[in-house]
Amino acid sequence: MSDLLAHLNPPQLAAVTLPPQHALILAGAGSGKTRVLTTRIAWLISTGQVGPSGILAVTFTNKAAKEMQARLAALLPINTRGMWIGTFHGLCNRFLRAHHREAGLSAQFQILDSADQLSAIKRLLKNLDIDDEKYPPRELMHFINAHKEQGIRAAQAEAYDSFTSRRVELYREYERQCQREGVVDFAELLLRSYELLQRNEPLRQHYQARFRHILVDEFQDTNRLQYAWLKLLAGHTTDRSVVSEAGARIFAVGDDDQSIYAFRGAEIGNMRDLQREFELPNVIRLEQNYRSHGNILDAANALIKQNRGRLGKNLWTEAGAGEPIRVFEAFTDIAEARFVVEEISELLREGMSRQQIALLYRSNAQSRVLEHELFRLGVPYRVHGGLRFFDRQEIKHALAYLRLLANPDDDTAFSRVVNFPTRGIGLRSIEALQETAQRVNSSLYNAAASLAGKAGASVAKFIRLIETLRSETRDLPLPEVIDRIIEESGLRQHYLVDKEGQDRLENLDELINAATSFLQEDEDHPLAEGDIVSAGGPLASFLAHASLEAGEHQAGEGQEAVQLMTVHAAKGLEFDAVFITGLEQGLFPHENAAQERDGLEEERRLMYVAVTRARQRLYLTHAQTRMLHGQTRYCLPSSFLDELPVELLRKVNGGTANTAAATRPASAGGWQQAPAANNGLRIGQNVRHARFGVGVIVSSEGAGAEARVQVNFGAGGMKWLALEYARLTPA
Ligand code: ATP
Ligand code: MG
């Protein structure tokens, strides 16, 4: 026990050993919030105040949940099964699987990830013959999710004009479609769980009696519905005369400066509400940072100071200043990626472990170039979130077959594979099928029997395939079921002849591996006493796992890898070395931020999260040009670079011949414009050439007498020009 508490400072110790009461710990990055939360769980259990099954802990990512489990396993000699630790989505999934009947769902209910949800909405609009220019599917999806996240069903949604009233109607239709098909989207997982707890008193009492302590990490990012769900589970009531003996104590930790999900409905106001509604006597603050060296922390503090309306706190560290923050400017995104990967190779040579190096970016699309360079140099890496294994086309196809075996009414799965690989079922036949299904109010699968003609025959053949697969695989273990599906659906054959097929075949094989290790893990965590058996069997659990889990498959399982992720996904994590890439206006801060109230402040909090992930070494990189969505963009450095104290930074060679321009002028109010490509010229600059006229510099190479630039002269074409002879002048 004393071991457990030995490595805590006084305020941390006070927080960990609070008597059973509601509490909020408000503290800056790296001050030990997650450590306090984990240690409190261990302390509560080891002092006999609660058994493992009385604990519910919520974190934000699957990765964080796994890490917490690992830390607990290290702290506690006892078995921690029966504890509920996971993300909001993961826990709600667990709850709904156990009580699917009460929730009005089939045992086999499937989870729609956001791509599935979007395609389900598109299908709905098409069926209803709705103009998708007037009602763009993505916008409708946001509309629906925003309502769900506030706990509002279509029936209660307010329609203040005819446009909104139409959208509410579409929301209702979407609810019906999901119900008919037996699928739930991410927001639905939460809303369903909430509603079920609310209306089913015995169930509510059961859980309120079971969970004694509810611990919430990253509390600043909970939305209204999540907060309401927590309150319900905790047995909170506003009626003062009711002193609920049942019900849990809420222990929340958070940092207002790291609130980065306002766009998804997170409410920083939840912190104030928690204080008020639970009558918290005081808020515990932690201010010593144990993660980062001084320079990194100073940079983070300086940056976040620019935000208004903070709850306010200042972080300090006993660690020394450490190294300066390295800033690198590249000509192109490819050059940026090369620099990053070369630096990584250097760090690895110096003995840093790959796990301890993180490559962060603002948008998922940025990962491809980085991945490409890592791959080229043979550096094992792993992408968290975003480009997920389970999002890949071939995997989604295979899973769609699997889903149809589990639930024939899953129209999303049906539409995906009825003609994949192609079986001569044309768009027209599918439309006819959709109309029939619509008319008789059944799933596509059931409507198939009534489809006549040649199309009817082809679809009937598909149905037979599924039926045969289902009966043949009924008693097989899951990995074999998947193997059979890949074979008999024709997927393997299809990718065998495809030119990009090799990769895809490997991924399909990897899916069989995924099922094997999934079953293995399941065996390692048998059900604990008090756990309600999840219905639906391994197939349903595996499919749920596939929807929830961000795949991590680039590097072999267990192999050490450099970590790639968006800044959002990096929340709560820490690494010895961190690269924040793509620090350019429009990219980070993201251009969308300009259109939203407090958008820039949210981006700054995101940058604060990114900076505070680093322990020892921090790199900030940006490029003058970047290919984004198939187009070259000319970029200015991020305004966030300007907000960092110049004495903390060291500009490393930006690959430019003109070193004068590469040095940041201390007096300038702004970061200097993208520095010279050569001889004072910059990428993106307009130049005049005596013969070709006016053009724009798009790239450059070499230096001194060797220096050449590539100029786009529009109608005059693209030309490489040796600077020494070309006599370009700014235009
Ligand atoms: P974030 O806001 O980024 O989620 P956090 O407040 O949750 O950060 P932790 O991840 O818990 O911070 O802690 C940051 C690092 O400091 C961890 O490596 C943790 O083990 C270490 N740490 C925390 N408290 C102490 C302590 N008292 N002594 C030594 N190390 C500590
Ligand atoms: Mg944390």
Side-chain angles (χ1 to χ4, degrees):
M1 161 85 71
S2 54
D3 268 5
L4 197 63
L5 306 177
H7 303 287
L8 299 172
N9 66 29
Q12 288 177 334
L13 181 67
V16 165
T17 56
L18 276 178
Q21 66 188 44
H22 303 300
L24 172 64
I25 317 293
L26 175 73
S31 60
K33 294 183 299 296
T34 304
R35 179 189 260 225
V36 161
L37 188 144
T38 314
T39 315
R40 180 162 172 85
I41 297 177
W43 180 77
L44 286 168
I45 293 177
S46 61
T47 50
Q49 299 184 55
V50 66
S53 64
I55 298 278
L56 182 143
V58 196
T59 64
F60 255 75
T61 59
N62 290 309
K63 189 168 160 55
K66 278 202 186 121
E67 207 149 298
M68 188 171 290
Q69 242 146 0
R71 282 204 212 175
L72 274 173
L75 288 175
L76 282 176
I78 61 153
N79 198 329
T80 54
R81 303 189 313 225
M83 217 182 277
W84 279 36
I85 297 189
T87 60
F88 280 105
H89 290 141
L91 295 176
C92 287
N93 172 52
R94 184 169 180 173
F95 176 74
L96 291 177
R97 296 265 160 219
H99 306 291
H100 64 93
R101 209 166 289 120
E102 295 94 323
L105 290 166
S106 86
Q108 307 284 353
F109 78 85
Q110 301 298 319
I111 301 171
L112 298 184
D113 65 17
S114 42
D116 289 334
Q117 189 187 11
L118 188 63
S119 70
I121 288 176
K122 284 184 184 159
R123 194 152 40 77
L124 177 81
L125 294 180
K126 197 154 194 312
N127 281 342
L128 297 177
D129 219 6
I130 306 275
D131 179 1
D132 61 7
E133 302 231 322
K134 191 154 178 223
Y135 298 93
R138 200 171 285 276
E139 227 172 82
L140 189 59
M141 177 162 103
H142 289 311
F143 177 83
I144 292 173
N145 291 346
H147 277 82
K148 288 191 179 184
E149 274 153 17
Q150 294 185 48
I152 303 170
R153 289 276 175 210
Q156 298 117 31
E158 235 176 279
Y160 34 86
D161 56 26
S162 63
F163 177 63
T164 316
S165 110
R166 189 79 177 116
R167 292 205 292 181
V168 170
E169 236 171 80
L170 292 171
Y171 177 13
R172 186 172 308 125
E173 288 299 329
Y174 170 76
E175 282 179 331
R176 286 198 187 122
Q177 173 176 303
C178 289
Q179 188 60 31
R180 196 170 57 237
E181 296 176 5
V183 294
V184 300
D185 56 49
F186 280 163
E188 183 73 24
L189 280 173
L190 223 103
L191 185 51
R192 272 283 164 140
S193 305
Y194 174 75
E195 288 171 342
L196 177 56
L197 269 183
Q198 200 177 39
R199 72 166 179 266
N200 189 322
E201 198 176 340
L203 210 56
R204 187 170 67 244
Q205 282 172 350
H206 168 82
Y207 281 99
Q208 285 178 348
R210 170 180 176 163
F211 296 123
R212 312 308 306 149
H213 291 271
I214 295 181
L215 302 99
V216 193
D217 201 357
E218 311 276 3
F219 184 71
Q220 76 280 357
D221 278 330
T222 47
N223 64 31
R224 290 315 286 177
L225 183 58
Q226 289 163 342
Y227 180 55
W229 181 78
L230 289 170
K231 278 204 300 192
L232 203 53
L233 265 185
H236 178 263
T237 157
T238 40
D239 182 355
R240 298 265 167 83
S241 61
V242 182
V243 181
S244 169
E245 259 317 297
R249 307 292 169 222
I250 291 192
F251 184 89
V253 306
D255 177 5
D256 58 313
D257 289 334
Q258 295 186 69
S259 150
I260 53 176
Y261 280 97
F263 74 97
R264 261 206 229 149
E267 279 269 352
I268 196 120
N270 286 345
M271 288 206 173
R272 281 185 211 109
D273 289 354
L274 184 77
Q275 275 180 60
R276 190 170 43 81
E277 295 177 349
F278 286 79
E279 299 174 19
L280 302 185
N282 53 12
V283 173
I284 296 183
R285 286 166 193 266
L286 312 171
E287 300 204 306
Q288 180 170 2
N289 173 295
Y290 288 92
R291 180 179 294 146
S292 310
H293 277 147
N295 284 340
I296 295 171
L297 203 57
D298 288 350
N301 281 337
L303 182 88
I304 200 66
K305 239 195 218 124
Q306 310 277 334
N307 273 7
R308 292 156 302 148
R310 301 169 55 215
L311 297 176
K313 54 195 143 14
N314 225 346
L315 283 174
W316 58 276
T317 176
E318 277 176 355
E323 302 172 17
I325 295 165
R326 291 164 167 80
V327 179
F328 179 83
E329 173 167 52
F331 290 142
T332 65
D333 49 349
I334 295 175
E336 180 193 37
R338 291 213 168 126
F339 165 78
V340 167
V341 178
E342 275 161 21
E343 281 298 304
I344 289 177
S345 306
E346 186 55 37
L347 291 173
L348 295 176
R349 271 195 295 278
E350 288 169 14
M352 193 176 279
S353 116
R354 289 195 282 265
Q355 298 288 103
Q356 280 307 328
I357 302 176
L359 251 168
L360 309 183
Y361 35 84
R362 173 69 180 84
S363 308
N364 262 312
Q366 288 168 251
S367 84
R368 198 190 50 78
V369 180
L370 295 165
E371 287 188 65
H372 184 74
E373 281 306 311
L374 286 161
F375 178 76
R376 215 173 54 84
L377 292 193
V379 181
Y381 68 92
R382 184 168 295 143
V383 178
H384 295 276
L387 250 185
R388 302 180 315 171
F389 175 75
F390 287 110
D391 274 350
R392 295 183 192 152
Q393 186 209 84
E394 61 281 13
I395 299 302
K396 296 203 92 166
H397 285 320
L399 289 177
Y401 280 100
L402 208 53
R403 282 162 60 161
L404 274 184
L405 293 200
N407 170 20
D409 294 336
D410 188 335
D411 283 358
T412 305
F414 185 98
S415 312
R416 175 173 270 275
V417 292
V418 62
N419 196 37
F420 194 98
T422 39
R423 318 188 154 84
I425 302 172
L427 205 56
R428 198 125 4 102
S429 320
I430 294 174
E431 278 173 6
L433 189 59
Q434 279 169 347
E435 273 162 31
T436 315
Q438 188 83 0
R439 207 176 49 244
V440 299
N441 193 23
S442 83
S443 65
L444 294 171
Y445 197 93
N446 283 334
S450 46
L451 196 64
K454 196 163 142 267
S458 314
V459 175
K461 208 164 143 208
F462 172 71
I463 302 282
R464 271 203 305 282
L465 168 71
I466 300 295
E467 294 294 331
T468 315
L469 271 170
R470 185 178 302 116
S471 67
E472 277 181 0
T473 60
R474 182 155 295 139
D475 301 319
L476 294 181
L478 189 58
E480 278 179 47
V481 177
I482 297 176
D483 195 17
R484 211 45 106 72
I485 283 179
I486 296 172
E487 207 55 57
E488 292 181 24
S489 63
L491 281 177
R492 188 181 297 283
Q493 186 57 31
H494 173 85
Y495 289 120
L496 266 177
V497 295
D498 183 0
K499 59 176 191 315
E500 294 176 67
Q502 189 49 38
D503 245 20
R504 301 202 189 270
L505 284 174
E506 281 171 14
N507 281 335
L508 285 173
D509 285 336
E510 186 59 37
L511 182 65
I512 303 176
N513 297 341
T516 311
S517 46
F518 176 77
L519 291 186
Q520 188 63 43
E521 270 185 26
D522 236 21
E523 266 173 36
D524 291 348
H525 296 100
L527 290 170
E529 226 178 302
D531 254 6
I532 293 163
V533 180
S534 157
L539 178 53
S541 338
F542 179 68
L543 286 169
H545 160 85
S547 304
L548 289 169
E549 174 93 350
E552 304 170 355
H553 290 257
Q554 289 78 0
E557 208 50 57
Q559 188 184 7
E560 286 228 324
V562 171
Q563 315 277 309
L564 268 69
M565 66 196 87
T566 62
V567 181
H568 277 103
K571 200 165 69 147
L573 307 179
E574 59 187 15
F575 308 90
D576 287 346
V578 169
F579 292 80
I580 307 174
T581 62
L583 278 167
E584 293 137 32
Q585 281 305 89
L587 200 55
F588 197 7
H590 198 273
E591 55 204 353
N592 293 351
Q595 284 135 41
E596 275 150 40
R597 202 163 56 91
D598 298 332
L600 186 63
E601 297 217 341
E602 173 132 334
E603 290 292 306
R604 194 176 285 113
R605 287 192 292 271
L606 201 51
M607 179 68 179
Y608 175 76
V609 168
V611 169
T612 52
R613 296 310 96 199
R615 286 204 191 97
Q616 299 158 13
R617 199 178 269 206
L618 177 63
Y619 290 87
L620 309 175
T621 67
H622 60 110
Q624 294 175 12
T625 65
R626 177 176 300 277
M627 285 293 284
L628 258 190
H629 313 301
Q631 287 181 347
T632 303
R633 261 173 49 157
Y634 299 99
C635 317
L636 290 176
S638 167
S639 54
F640 294 149
L641 288 166
D642 278 332
E643 298 176 3
L644 304 178
V646 70
E647 61 278 9
L648 303 177
L649 311 179
R650 180 160 90 217
K651 182 117 188 170
V652 290
N653 176 23
T656 156
N658 186 336
T659 43
T663 329
R664 178 189 166 85
S667 60
W671 188 262
Q672 212 184 22
Q673 286 270 300
N678 258 306
N679 297 3
L681 299 172
R682 299 186 291 107
I683 303 235
Q685 184 173 4
N686 287 327
V687 287
R688 187 181 303 281
H689 182 270
R691 211 165 93 224
F692 303 124
V694 174
V696 57
I697 302 182
V698 295
S699 67
S700 81
E701 61 178 35
E706 304 284 289
R708 304 194 316 146
V709 291
Q710 190 182 27
V711 183
N712 184 352
F713 289 103
M718 195 76 92
K719 304 261 188 288
W720 274 104
L721 302 168
L723 274 185
E724 205 176 349
Y725 307 110
R727 295 181 190 281
L728 296 173
T729 52

